[in-house]
């Protein structure tokens, strides 16, 4: 019989780098005023990245804060496995969806396609 315990440990350990990268990203935007990772689409920030920086910073700060809260609650024994996995999973997906939506909104619809000229 296979134990699920190693998977629980793996899920928990995965929270550390996720929280670190999200909080580091918020730090870079808030303190260092580095907008190179704001609303990325195909690896490129929008032309007016500073305009979208507060939203990206908030998404990363809230997501990273929730992950740190989950880590602390698990270490203190306040949350059961089902509960902390649900919180962490929901936070992960919401952060991904919100960052994706922000990037698409910040880059706009794009350049309109030129219509073929009628001869």
């Amino acid at each position: 019989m296979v134990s699920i315990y190693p998977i629980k440990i793996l899920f928990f350990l995965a929270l550390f780098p996720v929280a670190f990268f999200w909080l580091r990203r918020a730090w870079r935007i808030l303190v260092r005023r580095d907008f190179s990772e704001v609303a990325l689409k195909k690896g490129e920030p929008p032309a007016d990245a500073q305009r979208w920086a507060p939203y990206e910073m908030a998404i990363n700060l809230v997501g990273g804060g929730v992950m740190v809260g989950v880590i602390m609650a698990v270490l203190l024994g306040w949350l059961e496995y089902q509960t902390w996995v649900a919180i962490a999973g929901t936070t992960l997906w919401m952060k991904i969806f919100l960052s994706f939506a922000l990037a698409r909104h910040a880059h706009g619809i794009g350049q309109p396609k030129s219509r073929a000229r009628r001869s």
Side-chain angles (χ1 to χ4, degrees):
M1 187 162 156
V2 177
S3 172
I4 195 164
Y5 190 69
I7 294 172
K8 290 180 180 182
I9 293 172
L10 184 64
F11 285 162
F12 178 69
L13 293 176
L15 297 179
F16 287 88
V18 170
F20 171 76
F21 284 112
W22 289 353
L23 291 174
R24 182 181 69 170
R25 201 173 214 185
W27 173 266
R28 285 180 177 177
I29 294 169
L30 183 65
V31 177
R32 292 191 177 177
R33 313 292 294 165
D34 178 10
F35 306 125
S36 64
E37 294 183 11
V38 171
L40 297 178
K41 182 178 179 183
K42 296 183 181 178
E44 296 292 324
D48 56 347
Q50 187 172 2
R51 174 182 174 197
W52 305 102
Y55 305 107
E56 185 75 25
M57 188 267 312
I59 291 169
N60 284 288
L61 190 61
V62 169
V66 170
M67 289 296 190
V68 169
V70 168
I71 291 169
M72 295 304 296
V74 169
L75 290 175
L76 295 171
W78 292 347
L79 294 175
E80 296 177 6
Y81 174 73
Q82 299 287 344
T83 305
W84 71 260
V85 167
I87 295 169
T90 303
T91 303
L92 177 71
W93 282 109
M94 288 303 296
K95 194 276 185 198
I96 290 170
F97 289 147
L98 289 172
S99 288
F100 179 82
L102 179 66
R104 295 314 174 262
H105 188 69
H107 284 272
I109 296 173
Q111 297 177 348
K113 295 181 181 179
S114 61
R115 295 184 183 187
R117 294 185 184 189
R118 295 182 191 181
S119 299

